[in-house]
Amino acid sequence: MGAALLSAGAALAPAGTAAASTTTTGGRVDYVALGDSYASAPLVPTQVDATCLRSSQNYPSLVARSQGATLTDVSCSGATTADMGASGTAGVPAQLDALSRGTDLVTVTIGGNDIGFSTVLGTCAQLTSTDPTGTPCRTHFTGTGTDQISDAIGRTAPKVAKVLRAVHHRAPHAEVVIVGYPDLFPDDGVGCTSKTVPLAMGDFAWVRDKEKELNAMLARQARRSGARYVNTYTPTIGHDLCKPTGERWIETFAPETPAAPVHPNATGESAMATAVESTLVRHTWHH
């Protein structure tokens, strides 16, 4: 299962030149969406870009429709903070190139790939059999006396800050919004016994806490840069990957609804869109 997740993660990397998805809804708001697979929504119908695995039902598309915005969506599965300012090795253009002085709204979801979260989960899954009721993953990543994932989050913080400075520089009049990651694992820290979630029972609380650390770092960087932070975690509590099909908004390691493993399905993307919209509802656009 771990190998399967790693393979799925590898499949999310860009594999060619991708074009931005541009949607015009008749509005005057110029909206640019930046980010990784939690923004692009790989495998969620309908896929509109085969390289970046971008969906027409991802949260940027839903936000654009609700706001009457013209959307330029350059979110791309596998993206890191480095892909914001530089062309990817597969020829995917720098995401920041989509911005201009006329941009009104920018959303950014980034950071998960910088800390290698998919690889971490793959490692966790592979270690489960060594201590199914214990914490083999936490032990693996913290056994040297330092928490490798917390360290990675700390190293990613200045990279996120750099991205936000670049966004403000290129789009000085835009409202900039960092969209955090939704609730992937049970918020109460209690594990689930589903075979499609192959984590040791004691590791659920640890991976939950690592995601919370990542979101807290993103929220801090948003505040420091004058951006807004959208908390998608709280409104998705109770719909994590341990919940049954129909109740879960995050798919398991072996998805039963179209989505990448441990990623939002269409309902999850809709919940993320609603969270973004709630921060924009009182905003008056200036032109």
Side-chain angles (χ1 to χ4, degrees):
M1 187 62 70
L5 180 72
L6 290 174
S7 297
L12 302 186
T17 301
S21 301
T22 303
T23 305
T24 302
T25 55
R28 295 172 300 158
V29 177
D30 184 346
Y31 167 27
V32 176
L34 313 175
D36 59 23
S37 53
Y38 281 75
S40 68
L43 308 187
V44 172
T46 300
Q47 294 284 288
V48 294
D49 182 276
T51 298
C52 284
L53 303 180
R54 195 182 301 129
S55 172
S56 64
Q57 299 301 312
N58 64 359
Y59 82 73
S61 297
L62 301 177
V63 169
R65 287 173 207 142
S66 78
Q67 300 295 312
T70 299
L71 170 65
T72 301
D73 187 355
V74 292
S75 62
C76 198
S77 297
T80 66
T81 52
D83 295 311
M84 299 294 102
S87 297
T89 54
V92 177
Q95 292 193 23
L96 291 172
D97 288 350
L99 301 171
S100 73
R101 294 186 66 81
T103 303
D104 299 302
L105 171 65
V106 182
T107 57
V108 188
T109 296
I110 204 70
N113 290 321
D114 287 79
I115 70 169
F117 202 61
S118 290
T119 303
V120 170
L121 292 180
T123 300
C124 292
Q126 290 173 326
L127 292 170
T128 296
S129 61
T130 66
D131 189 6
T133 60
T135 59
C137 191
R138 184 178 71 185
T139 300
H140 175 81
F141 285 106
T142 65
T144 59
T146 181
D147 188 318
Q148 297 176 43
I149 311 309
S150 293
D151 287 352
I153 292 169
R155 289 193 302 271
T156 300
K159 299 175 184 178
V160 173
K162 182 180 178 181
V163 168
L164 293 175
R165 286 195 299 272
V167 170
H168 286 304
H169 177 73
R170 294 191 185 215
H173 308 297
E175 177 171 3
V176 181
V177 179
I178 295 186
V179 181
Y181 293 91
D183 179 16
L184 305 180
F185 304 98
D187 187 61
D188 61 8
V190 177
C192 58
T193 57
S194 166
K195 292 180 180 178
T196 56
V197 187
L199 297 180
M201 293 301 285
D203 278 329
F204 279 89
W206 184 76
V207 293
R208 173 207 61 191
D209 288 348
K210 295 305 103 178
E211 186 193 353
K212 287 188 172 185
E213 280 183 39
L214 174 60
N215 278 334
M217 179 273 284
L218 295 173
R220 283 194 301 273
Q221 297 309 316
R223 285 195 302 272
R224 291 172 180 175
S225 77
R228 293 186 186 217
Y229 175 74
V230 174
N231 174 0
T232 68
Y233 186 98
T234 300
T236 53
I237 288 173
H239 300 280
D240 56 79
L241 82 176
C242 281
K243 296 301 182 288
T245 301
E247 292 180 34
R248 66 169 172 260
W249 298 348
I250 305 298
E251 281 306 311
T252 66
F253 286 59
E256 296 175 11
T257 301
V262 198
H263 276 70
N265 54 31
T267 310
E269 288 288 327
S270 179
M272 293 177 75
T274 299
V276 175
E277 289 157 14
S278 70
T279 74
L280 304 175
V281 72
R282 295 184 181 88
H283 190 82
T284 302
W285 302 105
H286 300 289
H287 298 275

